[in-house]
Each structure stands twice: as C-alpha cells, then as structure tokens.
Amino acid sequence: IDQYTVELPAPAEGYSVFYDGTEVTAPKSVLTDNGAKVSFEVVIAEGYSPKNMNVVFGNVALGYISLSGNTYTYETPIITSDGVIEVRGVEEITFPITLNKGTGFTVSPANQIVSYNKTLEFKVTLDDAYALTAPTVYVDGNSITGVKNGNEYTYTVNNIISQPMISVSATKNPQHTAIFVSGGSVYTFSTVED
C-alpha cells in the first residue's frame, strides 16, 4: 500500500489545530495510507472570527463537516498524494468607533478601532459656554462618568465584546436675566451666566 504525508499547520493567531484529540503545536506530518482521509479540528480563539476562514488541502477548499461551539471539524478528500493543509482568513474581531462632535463639545479621538475584549478610551472637551455641567455620556443605554480635568472629561469603557452604542450630549450653562436700578435708570442684562 502506498503511503502519503499530510502536513497539518501549527497554530497561528486566532486558531489552534487538533489531530487525534491532541493539539498540534508545530507543523505535523501525518503518514496516511493511499485512499484514506485525515480528520482534524480547527478551534477558533475567543475574540477572533471564522467569517472569512478558508481551510485548504493542496488546491482544494474544504468545508467543515461539523461545528460544535467554536470547533470546526474537517476531513480531507481521499488521499492520493502528499499534501499540505492551510488555514487562512481567521481575523481578529474589531469594532469601529466613530464619535462626532456635538453642540457644546468635541470628542477625541473621533475615530478608532477597538479589538475584542479591549478598552475604549475617549475624551470629551466642553466649550466654555457648556463647561459648568459634566457631559452626559451613555454606553449601551448605561450612563458612565468621566474623569474631569478642566473642561475635559476622560471616559473609559472596559471589555468591549460587541459594537457599543455611545451617545454624548452637553448642557448649556444656565443664563439669567439680571435687572438693576442705578440713579433712577433700569438696566436689564439677559445673558448673565452663573
């Protein structure tokens, strides 16, 4: 009986490979009889997506034969020659964050990308006419509090595991009308701030 070598890949960022119930820690050559098939698992790590994953044996793209949680089971076609298995396209999960300036404030950075389970940090700087009251910031419907430094507030959101919904607003400083009388004349000021 002829035998052929099937090479399984070493683990890489975002996934590991198992053969015969054991994790493959370096490229592994499996000696296989002519006409046999090789089964193996690709386990996707937390924070990574298999959405664009391609598993290839030689020039043949393989489809998984079963899926359990984050474990994909594959089987080669019937082996008739040596071949190499490759795993491609496993990508880190990231979340694009865009925060726009609004009436009475600016946000920085305006655009950033946060990786899965990482921390989002941003600053809200209030215009002087809005600086008496802290900005109102909600993340996924929950109010959060920033650390104040002058007119600037720093906000930190830990462990981002889904696309956050963030809203920011600022409150204009209160204005009052002041009236005073001097020497028989009445003076009115309508834009006096606290």
Side-chain angles (χ1 to χ4, degrees), residues 7-185:
E7 185 174 311
L8 293 164
E13 183 177 356
Y15 69 89
S16 52
V17 176
F18 287 77
Y19 173 72
D20 227 7
T22 304
E23 184 173 4
V24 176
T25 57
K28 178 178 182 69
S29 294
V30 176
L31 194 59
T32 306
D33 290 338
N34 183 35
K37 296 181 180 183
V38 174
S39 296
F40 60 97
E41 291 84 34
V42 176
V43 179
I44 305 301
E46 183 177 15
Y48 289 82
S49 171
K51 185 173 92 174
N52 295 319
M53 178 170 68
N54 291 305
V55 178
V56 179
F57 175 67
N59 292 325
V60 177
L62 303 178
Y64 62 88
I65 58 172
S66 70
L67 171 62
S68 177
N70 61 341
T71 301
Y72 294 76
T73 301
Y74 290 88
E75 187 174 77
T76 64
I78 293 173
I79 304 297
T80 58
S81 64
D82 294 336
V84 175
I85 295 170
E86 296 178 70
V87 178
R88 305 173 185 151
V90 176
E91 299 171 343
E92 182 178 31
I93 296 171
T94 59
F95 306 101
I97 310 294
T98 301
L99 298 169
N100 298 315
K101 73 179 235 163
T103 303
F105 67 90
T106 57
V107 181
S108 64
N111 297 296
Q112 59 183 303
I113 294 182
V114 179
S115 296
Y116 182 89
N117 209 27
K118 299 298 182 196
T119 298
L120 165 66
E121 185 174 288
F122 61 95
K123 296 178 189 302
V124 176
T125 304
L126 297 173
D127 298 344
D128 288 339
Y130 290 78
L132 290 180
T133 305
T136 303
V137 178
Y138 286 94
V139 177
D140 295 330
N142 299 307
S143 177
I144 64 170
T145 303
V147 176
K148 184 178 192 311
N149 181 13
N151 287 2
E152 183 178 90
Y153 293 78
T154 301
Y155 294 88
T156 303
V157 184
N158 295 312
N159 306 319
I160 302 290
I161 59 171
S162 62
Q163 183 67 51
M165 299 298 295
I166 302 170
S167 67
V168 178
S169 63
T171 303
K172 191 166 187 170
N173 297 343
Q175 295 183 343
H176 307 282
T177 300
I179 301 173
F180 73 93
V181 178
S182 175
S185 297

